Amino acid sequence: FFMKATQLEQMKEDYSSIMKTKENTCIQIEQGVDRLQELKDLYCEKKERYKSFGFVNEMRNHLEDLKHKMAWAVVGEMEKEIQPIKEGIRAEEGDTEKLVQKLEECQVKVNEAEEKYKAIQDKLITINEEAQALHPQCISLKADVQARRKAVNEAEVLYNRFKTELKRLGKDDEQLNKRIEELKSSANQVSEPEKLESQRKIAHLREQLKAFHDEEIMIGQQVDQFQQAIYKCKEEHARLRREDCDAKQALDAKQKQLRELKDSKTNTLKRFGQHAPAFLEAVETAYRQGRFKHKPVGPLGAFIHPKDAELTLAVESCLKSLVQAFCCDNHSDERTLQLLMSKYYPHGFRPQIIVNKFQNKVYDVRHRGVHHPEFPSVLTALEIDHPVVANCLIDVRGIETILLIKSSRKAREVMQFNRPPKNCREAFTAEGDQVFERRYYSSDYLRPKFLSKDVEAEISHLEKEIENKKAQLTASQQHLYSIENEIRQNEDHLHGHRQHQKELQIKIRTTNAEIADLENMEEHQSVDIRTLEDEAEENKGKMESVKKDMQQQSKKMEELKNILQVAEKNFEEMKEKIHQVEEIAGPLKDELNQADSELENSKRRLQHYEDKQKEHLAGIKRHKELLAAKEKELEEKIAQARQIYSERIEVSRTVKSLDAEMNRLRERISSENDRHGNREEIVQQYHDAKERYEDANSKVKNLKTFIRLLEEIMTQRFKIYWQFLRLLSLRCKLYFDHLLRARACSGKILFDHKNETLSITVQPREEDKAALNDVRSLSGGERSFSTVCFILSLWSITESPFRCLDEFDVYMDMVNRRIAMDMILKVADSQHHRQFILLTPQSMSSLPTSSRIRILRMQDPERGQKTLNFQNRNDKEEDQ
């Protein structure tokens, strides 16, 4: 109560609150110091960036200077370019006179050469006319010689014919004479019994011969049968061998396709061949090495995916080998790709290479593609991952004009029964059949090979096909073995029959020889010897006639030979004359050729100098035009340079070096701008960072100063607080003791500021000072009096404007009440600026009258009243 009454408690709480605020402020200062360091770093960074803009400004200024120099450097270089052109024009104009002089000299030489050529040509024409006059005679003599030689040849042929005829007749004569002698010598050598025996043998041999012929015919028929059987078996064997070879190839192809499909489960590129992954890796390596301008795209089938699986076979039938093809941007890349292919693919099995300019978007084919409400085109039925692949297929195969129709009957209706849709060239069915407007081709494909999505189904189907092929191959080989056995048996039979046939032929030839010998021996010698002698005489007459004709023909031949010699001599003389004329014309032709060559050389030289003069004049004209254009451009450049910088600057550096330095500066300025950002933003950021840093620094400094001052003030205030506490305590003690003495009592107040407690001891009678009693041991009046003294003591050290006491004198006797009342009035009278309110049930009539004292006495309550009659404020207001 003491602490509250004296407001010391409030002071202590204020002190504690201030100290807590101080601690919080110190924490905030520490945090502010950290934040201040961050702001300082940010401020330094922005400051550096701001300062760097000064360097950028210097670079910009330098760039402007370079622009000025560049403008006048361009002018200077153009002036330097114009100067050689002017000097060149002057030099060329000087060379024009030399060219004119050369032209005149060449013209003189051409004229001389033409005159020389004309003179030689005239001589040669005269000689040629002489030669031409001799040529008809030479031709007639030649024809005469040929006719005479022909007649001689014909006479020789006829003479030789007579001579051959004479020789033949001589041989016939010898044979006739010999035959006549033989017939005369053997006329009486054969007897009658020998003739009969010979006839019997001939008849027997003829029967044997007939039997041999019948047997030979039968053997021949059997040989033909065996040959036909062997031929048919060999044909069947060859056919089966071809089928077996085809089946093996098909089986190998199926097994290879099965391996590729199984490999494609882990690497889809192996569906396009075992070499495809390695080849594509080699292409990628070559592209990274810069051997390709554009990386080739392929295989094309790896980039296309049918939207409808049922149309996969149709798409493959349409594209065929294009599925494995590659696409290049240019022919140089094509050659490089071919070189790579030769390392991975055998010759004849390399994929197709298509050269087509690469583009980044697919062609717009809406105006030339086929559009059908029910069936898609190949282009719309495919998902194509690369625009180059789509463009390649459009260019090479025209996939935008090909329909895909699953049903072959529907395809015939669309393409053949009715007019084909607009822009549609052909269609393909789900079975791979190709349908044109008037043609229909069945597909060679049964299953898709490259574009199928269900690899497991394809593998299962291929395994079944391989098993069937193996079974067919086994059956075919068994059939082949049986045919080979049959051929061997037939060949053995054929060999036996042929041996038998040869034996029969030998027997037939032997029998025929025997029959011929017997018939020759039996031949009747009744031939008319006289007839032969007549023939011999006739033959001799013919010989004499032929001898006479031969002699006449010999004389005629000698005459024709003499005529031929005369004709040949005349012909040789004519040829000699013509040769002499040609010998005279030969040197003239050489001279003419030489003169012609000299003339051509002179003309070429003249033409050369004329062309050179034209070119020279055209060059002068061109240089003058160039000079005029350059001078006009120079004037424009000077005007532009004056607009950039009015005063001319002499620049020693080249435009190229200035341009390079300007580009470097622009790049550095651009990089600085990119690195630092916008200049206005950086300046604003710099000022904001500076303002925040300075504001935070000022706040931190102010807070530190405030804390330092607060520490000093609080230390001083704490000292004053303790001093004030001690003084108030002392004052309260003294005033309490003073007030007690008015009742002839004594007492004291003990303050324990450490534990914030106080204890009051009072001695009612002053003479017994040794024993001070606690207020609890006092009587009620004494305790009330002591309490009033304590309250008055507190009032003396408090500054409250109102002082209130309630029933302070209830337990006092009249003496104590009067003393206490006097004390209160005395205090109140000494403190006019405060108001004292005293509540007591006792009568205050004994108080002195004064304008400062007001007594308010309340009416006595009704003793029998049990409730208080309170009226509602609102009702009261309504009554009023």
Side-chain angles (χ1 to χ4, degrees):
F1 179 74
F2 170 77
M3 296 294 287
K4 287 181 179 180
T6 56
Q7 295 184 347
L8 288 172
E9 185 176 9
Q10 182 65 38
M11 292 176 66
K12 186 177 180 181
E13 290 178 356
D14 292 344
Y15 181 76
S16 299
S17 176
I18 290 169
M19 295 305 291
K20 189 177 290 185
T21 303
K22 176 194 169 187
E23 291 176 0
N24 293 334
T25 305
C26 289
I27 293 171
Q28 290 179 358
I29 288 172
E30 291 176 359
Q31 295 175 352
V33 169
D34 296 337
R35 175 62 180 163
L36 181 65
Q37 186 62 37
E38 293 177 2
L39 289 173
K40 185 177 181 180
D41 295 340
L42 180 63
Y43 166 67
C44 292
E45 179 186 351
K46 299 297 181 183
K47 187 175 181 180
E48 288 297 323
R49 292 177 67 181
Y50 177 75
K51 286 181 179 179
S52 67
F53 268 106
F55 176 64
V56 172
N57 289 333
E58 291 178 2
M59 287 195 292
R60 284 199 177 98
N61 294 332
H62 186 45
L63 181 61
E64 287 297 322
D65 294 339
L66 289 176
K67 285 181 180 178
H68 299 160
K69 291 181 179 180
M70 170 65 87
W72 288 105
V74 169
V75 172
E77 287 198 355
M78 285 202 70
E79 289 176 347
K80 290 178 181 178
E81 289 177 4
I82 288 172
Q83 189 61 33
I85 295 173
K86 289 180 178 179
E87 293 176 356
I89 289 171
R90 285 196 294 270
E92 287 173 348
E93 287 176 348
D95 292 338
T96 305
E97 296 179 358
K98 295 179 181 179
L99 278 175
V100 171
Q101 186 178 356
K102 284 281 186 182
L103 275 172
E104 291 175 353
E105 292 176 358
C106 288
Q107 188 63 49
V108 171
K109 288 182 179 179
V110 167
N111 295 334
E112 292 175 354
E114 284 179 348
E115 291 175 358
K116 182 179 179 181
Y117 177 80
K118 191 174 181 182
I120 297 171
Q121 190 179 28
D122 292 339
K123 289 181 182 179
L124 189 60
I125 288 170
T126 304
I127 294 171
N128 285 336
E129 287 176 354
E130 293 177 2
Q132 289 295 328
L134 294 174
H135 271 295
Q137 298 177 17
C138 182
I139 292 170
S140 62
L141 289 171
K142 184 178 181 181
D144 184 53
V145 169
Q146 289 174 352
R148 301 297 180 185
R149 187 176 288 117
K150 185 177 180 182
V152 170
N153 291 334
E154 289 175 355
E156 285 181 352
V157 169
L158 188 58
Y159 175 78
N160 291 330
R161 191 178 298 147
F162 288 145
K163 190 175 182 180
T164 304
E165 182 68 18
L166 182 61
K167 287 180 180 180
R168 185 183 65 76
L169 290 170
K171 287 181 180 179
D172 289 344
D173 185 57
E174 289 177 2
Q175 289 176 358
L176 285 170
N177 291 327
K178 186 178 181 181
R179 183 65 176 162
I180 289 169
E181 292 296 329
E182 288 177 356
L183 287 174
K184 286 178 179 181
S185 63
S186 63
N188 296 314
Q189 291 179 1
V190 181
S191 63
E192 188 66 28
E194 289 177 354
K195 288 180 181 179
L196 292 174
E197 183 65 23
S198 177
Q199 289 175 0
R200 188 182 60 78
K201 285 182 179 181
I202 288 170
H204 177 69
L205 289 172
R206 287 187 187 281
E207 289 176 1
Q208 286 184 350
L209 185 63
K210 186 175 182 301
F212 289 153
H213 276 299
D214 292 340
E215 189 177 359
E216 185 186 18
I217 290 168
M218 185 182 66
I219 293 294
Q221 290 175 352
Q222 291 178 354
V223 167
D224 290 339
Q225 290 175 359
F226 282 124
Q227 284 179 341
Q228 289 177 3
I230 291 170
Y231 179 73
K232 289 180 180 178
C233 288
K234 284 186 176 180
E235 281 188 343
E236 183 70 14
H237 183 269
R239 184 182 63 80
L240 288 174
R241 291 280 292 181
R242 288 194 299 272
E243 290 179 356
D244 185 62
C245 184
D246 293 340
K248 285 182 180 178
Q249 289 179 356
L251 180 62
D252 292 340
K254 294 290 182 186
Q255 288 175 341
K256 182 181 178 182
Q257 189 178 356
L258 180 62
R259 289 194 300 271
E260 290 175 355
L261 279 176
K262 287 181 178 179
D263 291 339
S264 69
K265 291 198 293 186
T266 55
N267 189 344
T268 56
L269 290 173
K270 288 192 175 181
R271 299 186 74 175
F272 301 93
Q274 290 292 330
H275 305 293
F279 175 65
L280 288 176
E281 187 175 350
V283 170
E284 181 66 30
T285 303
Y287 176 68
R288 286 198 298 269
Q289 292 173 354
R291 296 173 63 186
F292 291 106
K293 296 178 182 177
H294 297 274
K295 182 182 175 183
V297 178
L300 302 185
F303 296 89
I304 59 178
H305 313 284
K307 297 177 183 177
D308 188 350
E310 295 181 8
L311 296 174
T312 304
L313 181 58
V315 172
E316 282 198 19
S317 298
C318 173
L319 299 181
K320 293 183 175 65
S321 62
L322 289 176
V323 176
Q324 296 178 278
F326 284 76
C327 188
C328 291
D329 176 74
N330 52 76
H331 291 286
S332 174
D333 289 351
E334 179 194 16
R335 289 190 292 272
T336 306
L337 189 63
Q338 284 178 344
L339 185 63
L340 281 177
M341 279 186 179
S342 64
K343 299 177 182 178
Y344 291 90
Y345 293 93
H347 185 70
F349 296 92
R350 296 175 189 172
Q352 182 181 357
I353 300 175
I354 301 162
V355 179
N356 196 25
K357 189 68 177 177
F358 286 1
Q359 295 188 19
N360 294 326
K361 62 180 181 178
V362 181
Y363 297 149
D364 184 6
V365 295
R366 289 174 293 181
H367 63 286
R368 56 189 173 94
V370 60
H371 301 282
H372 196 278
E374 188 176 355
F375 307 113
S377 66
V378 178
L379 179 61
T380 57
L382 294 177
E383 290 180 358
I384 303 176
D385 300 337
H386 205 296
V388 171
V389 176
N391 294 338
C392 181
L393 294 178
I394 289 170
D395 288 336
V396 176
R397 190 64 182 88
I399 59 174
E400 78 280 8
T401 63
I402 303 174
L403 283 178
L404 296 178
I405 305 171
K406 293 181 181 179
S407 170
S408 58
R409 181 184 60 80
K410 198 71 176 175
R412 289 180 184 272
E413 288 180 6
V414 172
M415 295 298 296
Q416 295 179 349
F417 299 161
N418 301 311
R419 184 180 179 85
K422 184 182 178 182
N423 297 330
C424 182
R425 296 190 299 107
E426 56 187 302
F428 283 86
T429 66
E431 292 80 16
D433 297 343
Q434 190 175 13
V435 186
F436 290 94
E437 186 175 358
R438 294 184 179 83
R439 291 167 292 161
Y440 189 99
Y441 299 103
S442 298
S443 175
D444 296 332
Y445 301 94
L446 298 176
R447 302 281 300 176
K449 182 179 179 182
F450 302 104
L451 304 180
S452 176
K453 294 182 180 178
D454 192 356
V455 180
E456 293 295 337
E458 291 297 321
I459 290 172
S460 175
H461 181 77
L462 270 177
E463 287 175 345
K464 291 178 182 178
E465 285 188 355
I466 288 170
E467 292 299 325
N468 294 334
K469 287 285 183 185
K470 285 182 178 178
Q472 291 175 6
L473 194 60
T474 304
S476 175
Q477 288 175 348
Q478 290 176 355
H479 190 192
L480 198 64
Y481 181 71
S482 65
I483 289 174
E484 287 175 353
N485 289 333
E486 187 177 353
I487 289 172
R488 281 195 295 271
Q489 292 175 1
N490 288 329
E491 285 178 344
D492 292 340
H493 290 304
L494 179 64
H495 181 69
H497 281 72
R498 280 181 172 168
Q499 287 295 116
H500 191 191
Q501 190 179 32
K502 287 180 180 179
E503 291 174 358
L504 285 173
Q505 288 173 353
I506 292 170
K507 289 179 180 179
I508 289 169
R509 284 197 298 272
T510 305
T511 304
N512 283 326
E514 290 178 358
I515 291 170
D517 291 339
L518 288 173
E519 285 178 346
N520 289 331
M521 290 173 64
E522 185 189 41
E523 190 179 41
H524 193 265
Q525 300 296 326
S526 61
V527 180
D528 193 358
I529 296 171
R530 188 67 197 165
T531 304
L532 292 174
E533 290 176 349
D534 292 340
E535 288 180 4
E537 289 295 330
E538 186 180 354
N539 192 47
K540 286 179 180 179
K542 288 181 180 179
M543 287 176 66
E544 291 296 329
S545 177
V546 169
K547 283 180 181 179
K548 289 179 181 179
D549 292 337
M550 191 173 67
Q551 289 174 359
Q552 292 176 0
Q553 191 64 35
S554 177
K555 291 178 181 180
K556 185 179 180 181
M557 188 173 63
E558 289 296 329
E559 292 174 359
L560 290 173
K561 283 183 177 180
N562 293 330
I563 295 170
L564 177 62
Q565 288 177 358
V566 172
E568 285 178 349
K569 185 178 179 181
N570 295 330
F571 178 62
E572 289 296 329
E573 289 176 356
M574 183 58 66
K575 283 174 67 176
E576 184 64 26
K577 288 181 180 180
I578 293 172
H579 179 67
Q580 290 175 358
V581 172
E582 287 178 351
E583 283 182 351
I584 295 170
L588 285 176
K589 285 181 180 179
D590 294 337
E591 290 180 10
L592 184 66
N593 291 333
Q594 185 178 359
D596 183 55
S597 176
E598 291 176 358
L599 178 62
E600 287 298 322
N601 291 333
S602 300
K603 285 183 177 180
R604 277 199 299 272
R605 196 175 294 108
L606 177 65
Q607 186 64 39
H608 168 70
Y609 282 111
E610 285 178 351
D611 295 340
K612 193 172 181 180
Q613 185 185 30
K614 290 179 182 178
E615 185 180 352
H616 183 70
L617 295 174
I620 293 173
K621 183 180 179 182
R622 191 168 56 252
H623 289 158
K624 286 182 177 179
E625 291 174 354
L626 177 63
L627 178 62
K630 288 284 185 182
E631 287 177 345
K632 185 177 179 181
E633 187 179 357
L634 176 62
E635 292 175 359
E636 293 175 357
K637 293 294 182 182
I638 291 172
Q640 291 176 3
R642 292 192 185 280
Q643 289 179 357
I644 295 170
Y645 194 72
S646 58
E647 296 181 3
R648 176 152 186 164
I649 303 172
E650 295 298 330
V651 183
S652 58
R653 296 177 61 183
T654 62
V655 173
K656 188 175 180 180
S657 65
L658 289 171
D659 185 57
E661 186 174 357
M662 287 172 68
N663 290 332
R664 286 196 298 271
L665 280 175
R666 288 193 187 98
E667 289 175 0
R668 290 188 64 183
I669 290 169
S670 177
S671 63
E672 291 292 329
N673 289 333
D674 293 338
R675 188 162 62 89
H676 296 296
N678 191 3
R679 184 176 184 277
E680 295 178 357
E681 292 179 1
I682 294 301
V683 172
Q684 184 64 36
Q685 290 174 2
Y686 165 69
H687 288 300
D688 292 343
K690 182 179 180 181
E691 184 178 350
R692 288 197 301 272
Y693 170 69
E694 290 178 351
D695 182 57
N697 190 26
S698 176
K699 287 181 179 178
V700 169
K701 285 182 180 179
N702 292 335
L703 284 174
K704 286 182 178 180
T705 304
F706 171 73
I707 290 297
R708 188 172 62 255
L709 293 175
L710 183 64
E711 286 178 352
E712 294 175 359
I713 291 169
M714 292 308 295
T715 302
Q716 186 67 26
R717 188 168 182 176
F718 189 70
K719 291 179 182 178
I720 293 170
Y721 165 77
W722 279 106
Q723 185 178 1
F724 184 58
L725 180 64
R726 287 194 299 272
L727 290 175
L728 289 178
S729 300
L730 181 59
R731 183 177 175 184
C732 184
K733 286 179 183 180
L734 295 174
Y735 202 73
F736 178 71
D737 185 63
H738 172 71
L739 292 176
L740 286 177
R741 289 185 183 279
R743 182 71 175 81
C745 295
S746 63
K748 62 180 180 179
I749 301 174
L750 298 176
F751 291 92
D752 187 357
H753 296 295
K754 185 176 182 181
N755 297 319
E756 295 185 350
T757 60
L758 63 84
S759 58
I760 300 174
T761 56
V762 178
Q763 178 63 40
R765 289 178 296 276
E766 190 176 352
E767 60 272 8
D768 196 4
K769 289 183 180 180
L772 294 175
N773 297 325
D774 189 89
V775 292
R776 288 174 292 184
S777 62
L778 298 177
S779 62
E782 290 174 344
R783 189 182 304 117
S784 297
F785 181 76
S786 299
T787 301
V788 169
C789 292
F790 175 67
I791 288 172
L792 290 174
S793 299
L794 289 176
W795 283 357
S796 66
I797 60 176
T798 58
E799 298 297 330
S800 176
F802 299 99
R803 313 289 172 94
C804 298
L805 280 177
D806 180 18
E807 295 184 353
F808 63 91
D809 56 351
V810 173
Y811 300 103
M812 292 183 184
D813 53 15
M814 293 301 295
V815 177
N816 288 328
R817 182 182 299 114
R818 183 179 57 78
I819 295 171
M821 200 66 196
D822 290 342
M823 291 169 60
I824 291 170
L825 290 174
K826 185 178 178 181
V827 170
D829 185 58
S830 64
Q831 298 179 7
H832 294 166
H833 56 283
R834 291 185 175 89
Q835 184 176 359
F836 291 83
I837 301 171
L838 305 176
L839 302 175
T840 179
Q842 305 296 330
S843 175
M844 293 291 108
S845 59
S846 60
L847 291 177
T849 57
S850 173
S851 58
R852 296 197 177 97
I853 299 173
R854 293 180 63 188
I855 299 173
L856 178 62
R857 182 178 177 80
M858 299 178 65
Q859 295 182 358
D860 295 335
E862 295 180 4
R863 298 299 178 187
Q865 185 179 1
K866 294 182 180 180
T867 60
L868 296 174
N869 187 15
F870 294 107
Q871 189 177 8
N872 194 339
R873 183 179 293 179
N874 294 333
D875 295 340
K876 185 176 180 180
E877 289 175 356
E878 288 177 0
D879 294 338
Q880 292 176 354

